[in-house]
Amino acid sequence: PPPARAPTETYGKLAFEARRFVELREKPFWAQFASPESTGMGAFYTLNVLCLQFYLGTTRLQLAHKGDAGTGWAFTKMASVVPAFGFLGIPAIGWLLDHKGYGATLATINLLNLAASLAQAIPSLRFQAVTLILWTYGRFFLYTSYFTIFGALFGFRHFGRMVAVDNCVNGAVGLVQLPLTSWGLHGLGGDFTAVNLIQAAVLLPLFAFCWCMRRWEREDLVPIRPAEGEALPVNLLGPRAERRARFVESLEKRLAGVVG
């Protein structure tokens, strides 16, 4: 049961969150790790990181194949500068997380990275300016949201272990970049179009998880402490369990009176 609180204690403006997320934060590590949220978040971030880091490692190769030789438009040099302006997206990612929730934020990130993968497949060199912008903000939004959503969903009791396991999986899956780069460079003659399209196809099913998160976060809301995620002292088990608890409590009192 929730701890007793002084009658004079105030909680400020009420905030509400899905019951399943409130209860998820109270579960032990292995229960959190086996949850649908953990599986979905792991797959979402692992595959998005793979696509983003692959482009980071092959940017020069892909631009060179499209005609950039480091002179003229010099997109290779642009690719070293544009990511530094990712901070300009802070208001946008903050607004998404605060006002639109997890599902909409994850869907936006996936859409940006999907669009970046498709843009990489376009042979036009000048169009790669659009690719760089999409990739920059997709990557910035991904890493900005990562720790925010993990902390909010799973709490801070097992935060370190959850992130550590997820990063190990990310790193192991990220090794796929090596054969993909070799295939594009040697097997496809430097043309990474097929790899880019495969990456886009891999990201497409992740919208299903975004939809699930959107649905979960809108169901069965309960009040929480703003900015802490701690459930307020309300019944989180539903009216039936509350009536059963009252009945058991009254029965115990009557039995105690009889015995006494």
Side-chain angles (χ1 to χ4, degrees):
R5 303 185 186 276
T8 56
E9 187 171 354
T10 58
Y11 301 101
K13 184 179 179 181
L14 278 180
F16 292 84
E17 189 177 17
R19 182 195 307 273
R20 66 178 294 142
F21 294 162
V22 173
E23 294 177 347
L24 180 63
R25 284 192 293 269
E26 301 301 322
K27 292 181 178 180
F29 169 73
W30 287 111
Q32 289 186 342
F33 182 73
S35 67
E37 289 87 348
S38 175
T39 303
M41 290 284 287
F44 182 90
Y45 281 97
T46 296
L47 294 176
N48 272 277
V49 166
L50 173 63
C51 296
L52 290 169
Q53 295 303 101
F54 177 79
Y55 185 66
L56 179 65
T58 60
T59 302
R60 292 177 180 272
L61 297 173
Q62 295 200 45
L63 291 176
H65 184 267
K66 292 178 173 64
D68 184 58
T71 59
W73 285 95
F75 279 88
T76 302
K77 296 179 181 178
M78 186 186 301
S80 301
V81 177
V82 172
F85 292 91
F87 73 92
L88 297 176
I90 291 176
I93 186 65
W95 180 81
L96 281 170
L97 287 168
D98 292 340
H99 298 282
K100 295 301 178 180
Y102 307 137
T105 300
L106 295 174
T108 301
I109 294 169
N110 203 53
L111 181 62
L112 284 172
N113 294 331
L114 174 65
S117 296
L118 293 174
Q120 292 168 42
I122 297 176
S124 169
L125 177 61
R126 295 190 178 188
F127 190 80
Q128 297 314 300
V130 177
T131 300
L132 289 172
I133 294 173
L134 291 171
W135 177 81
T136 293
Y137 286 101
R139 186 168 181 261
F140 181 82
F141 282 16
L142 183 80
Y143 287 113
T144 302
S145 66
Y146 180 81
F147 295 103
T148 302
I149 298 179
F150 255 85
L153 274 181
F154 304 108
F156 296 101
R157 184 184 307 170
H158 307 298
F159 178 79
R161 279 182 286 180
M162 292 291 293
V163 171
V165 172
D166 187 69
N167 284 336
C168 288
V169 174
N170 288 347
V173 175
L175 295 176
V176 177
Q177 297 176 58
L178 299 176
L180 286 178
T181 302
S182 178
W183 179 43
L185 189 60
H186 303 293
L188 301 176
D191 185 359
F192 288 85
T193 302
V195 181
N196 301 146
L197 294 177
I198 290 173
Q199 289 177 334
V202 166
L203 294 179
L204 193 59
L206 295 178
F207 284 111
F209 173 65
C210 300
W211 178 83
C212 288
M213 287 291 286
R214 181 72 169 171
R215 180 169 59 87
W216 290 338
E217 66 186 337
R218 290 168 171 260
E219 292 178 345
D220 197 11
L221 301 181
V222 295
I224 63 169
R225 283 188 171 206
E228 293 183 22
E230 179 186 348
L232 291 177
V234 297
N235 172 41
L236 295 179
L237 300 178
R240 181 177 300 177
E242 185 180 7
R243 288 196 299 270
R244 186 182 302 122
R246 287 202 302 265
F247 170 76
V248 172
E249 183 181 2
S250 63
L251 183 61
E252 289 176 344
K253 289 181 178 179
R254 280 181 285 177
L255 287 175
V258 171
V259 174

